[in-house]
Amino acid sequence: MIGGVSVSESVELASCADPYPSRVGQSSAILTRLDPVVHSQSFEGGPIPRHLVDEYEERGFLVLENMFTPLEVRSLQEEVALLQENHRHADNETCIAEPGGHTLRSIFAVHKSASSFARLACDRRLVELAQFLLGDEVYIHQSRLNFKPGFRGKEFYWHSDFETWHVEDGMPRMRALSMSITLTENMANNGPLMLIPGSHKHYVACSGQTPENHFQESLRKQEYGVPSDELLLGLANEGGVFSADAQPGSVIVFDCNTMHGSNSNITPYPRSNAFIVYNSLQNQVVVPYCERPPRPEFICTRSAIEPITIREGGISSG
Ligand code: 6CS
Ligand code: FE
C-alpha cells in the first residue's frame, strides 16, 4: 500500500498496450515498475564499487563527491556566465524564464551550445557510469542548466522525469538516468535537489490530460504530471526525503523514475546545477504516448541519435 492505494489494484491499468499509462483520465495511481534499475548483468570491473551499485539500486540515486576538480568547475562556471550574458537579450527558445518574470530559470541543450558542456557530456567519468548502469551504449536525451538565483530562485515541484519523458516524449521504458553536476554549493537551505529514496520502484500514474504545448508552462511551473498529495505522502512515509547537499564538482546520479523536486531559494547564495540525461540506445524515443505532437528537439533528442564516444582530456581543454 502506498498512500492508501494498493499496488495490485492498479495492475489492470498496466496491462494495456502502454506499460506506463499516465494522464489518460484516471486518478493518480501506483503502478508496478517493469524495468530493472541496474541494467548491467555483470558487476566485474564496473566504474563504481559494488556497494554503491547496490545503494543506487535500492535508493534510486547516488551522490558522488569530488568528481570534478575546482579548476574544472571554474571553467564550467565561466561558460555559464558567458551563456547567461549571451542569452540575456536573445530571443532564444532554449532559455526558460521563471514563472511571471524574465529571470533565467533554465537553458536547455547546453551540450550543443557550449564547448565545456559538450566535453562534460562526453567525459569518461560520467559516460562509463551511465553505460554501466544502463547496460548499453548511451546518447543524450536532454541537457540543461538550472539556475536558482539567490533571494528569488523558484522551486521545482515533485515529479518523476520518466513520467514526463514517457508521456510527452515517447520514451518507452525506464532505461535512462540523470546526472546533476553541482556548479555551486548545494546546501540544505538554498534549494538543493531533494529525492525520495525508493520511490523509483513505483510508477506514479498522474491524473489529468496533457494540455497543448504543455512544455511552455511545465518548464516554468509543472502542474500536470505531478502525483497526488496522498501518494506523495505515502512515498515519503516509506522512504523519507533526502536532501542532496553537496560541494561544487559533485555528481548526483538518479534513476529516471526517482521522485524529486526542490524548494525555492531565498538565501543570498545561488544554486546552479547542470543536468545531463543519458538514455540507452535501445530505448530511443517513439511517438509520444499522449496525443500531442513531440516536444522540440532542444528538450528531447529525436533526430540523428548517435551513441556517445568518450572524449579524453577533461573539461577545461579546448
Ligand atoms: O519536462 C522535462 O523534460 C523536464 N522537467 C523537469 C521538471 N525535470 C526534468 C526535465 O527537465
Ligand atoms: Fe526533474
Side-chain angles (χ1 to χ4, degrees):
M1 292 287 275
I2 301 284
V5 178
S6 90
V7 173
S8 55
E9 258 176 44
S10 50
V11 166
E12 221 177 283
L13 266 173
S15 62
C16 53
D18 175 1
Y20 295 117
S22 183
R23 305 186 217 169
V24 289
Q26 88 289 23
S27 50
S28 201
I30 300 271
L31 310 188
T32 308
R33 178 180 179 132
L34 304 170
D35 301 304
V37 179
V38 176
H39 295 258
S40 276
Q41 306 291 333
S42 154
F43 302 114
E44 288 297 306
I48 51 171
R50 179 63 196 260
H51 74 272
L52 291 181
V53 179
D54 293 344
E55 185 179 326
Y56 178 81
E57 187 159 42
E58 196 45 41
R59 286 161 69 82
F61 62 89
L62 278 180
V63 182
L64 303 171
E65 308 242 32
N66 299 314
M67 285 280 275
F68 294 98
T69 66
L71 204 68
E72 288 177 310
V73 173
R74 194 164 339 130
S75 68
L76 292 170
Q77 284 165 339
E78 280 165 11
E79 189 123 43
V80 168
L82 282 176
L83 283 168
Q84 282 175 315
E85 196 47 45
N86 292 344
H87 290 71
R88 193 177 298 279
H89 304 291
D91 184 14
N92 186 323
E93 63 173 5
T94 65
C95 295
I96 310 297
E98 290 285 11
H102 298 286
T103 315
L104 199 52
R105 176 174 172 85
S106 306
I107 303 179
F108 276 75
V110 287
H111 70 290
K112 291 186 182 158
S113 62
S115 57
S116 36
F117 287 100
R119 285 194 289 275
L120 178 70
C122 298
D123 191 276
R124 180 179 295 281
R125 289 161 282 189
L126 302 187
V127 177
E128 274 189 351
L129 182 53
Q131 289 172 334
F132 170 74
L133 293 172
L134 300 176
D136 193 14
E137 292 198 90
V138 297
Y139 73 94
I140 298 170
H141 172 69
Q142 180 185 90
S143 75
R144 65 191 191 277
L145 286 170
N146 281 348
F147 305 110
K148 201 181 276 185
F151 304 109
R152 278 167 280 276
K154 299 279 190 308
E155 78 279 1
F156 288 80
Y157 195 68
W158 292 110
H159 63 281
S160 144
D161 292 332
F162 177 75
E163 195 274 347
T164 294
W165 298 337
H166 182 69
V167 172
E168 297 190 32
D169 295 336
M171 182 182 283
R173 306 297 290 235
M174 295 181 191
R175 198 169 180 180
L177 54 77
S178 289
M179 299 220 183
S180 170
I181 298 93
T182 55
L183 302 177
T184 62
E185 201 175 337
N186 281 228
M187 300 172 274
N189 56 20
N190 71 346
L193 186 67
M194 298 188 294
L195 309 106
I196 301 186
S199 56
H200 63 303
K201 294 177 185 170
H202 308 284
Y203 178 65
V204 181
C206 300
S207 60
Q209 275 175 345
T210 311
E212 211 178 330
N213 291 324
H214 182 226
F215 69 93
Q216 291 172 351
E217 296 304 321
S218 68
L219 299 179
R220 296 157 149 247
K221 189 172 198 286
Q222 190 169 355
E223 291 181 14
Y224 293 87
V226 296
S228 65
D229 293 359
E230 189 191 32
L231 291 180
L232 272 174
L233 177 65
L235 292 173
N237 281 347
E238 216 180 48
V241 173
F242 180 86
S243 166
D245 307 355
Q247 293 299 310
S250 306
V251 178
I252 303 150
V253 188
F254 59 103
D255 177 80
C256 59
N257 189 45
T258 302
M259 196 59 70
H260 64 282
S262 61
N263 283 324
S264 67
N265 180 16
I266 60 167
T267 74
Y269 309 110
R271 184 222 71 158
S272 48
N273 293 339
F275 285 81
I276 299 168
V277 179
Y278 296 100
N279 190 20
S280 152
L281 206 60
Q282 294 173 55
N283 195 35
Q284 294 181 28
V285 295
V286 296
V287 178
Y289 289 83
C290 62
E291 281 159 18
R292 296 288 180 201
R295 300 197 296 176
E297 194 73 25
F298 71 88
I299 306 176
C300 162
T301 307
R302 183 172 294 278
S303 64
I305 290 177
E306 294 277 357
I308 290 186
T309 314
I310 290 173
R311 215 184 126 153
E312 305 298 348
I315 309 304
S316 324
S317 60

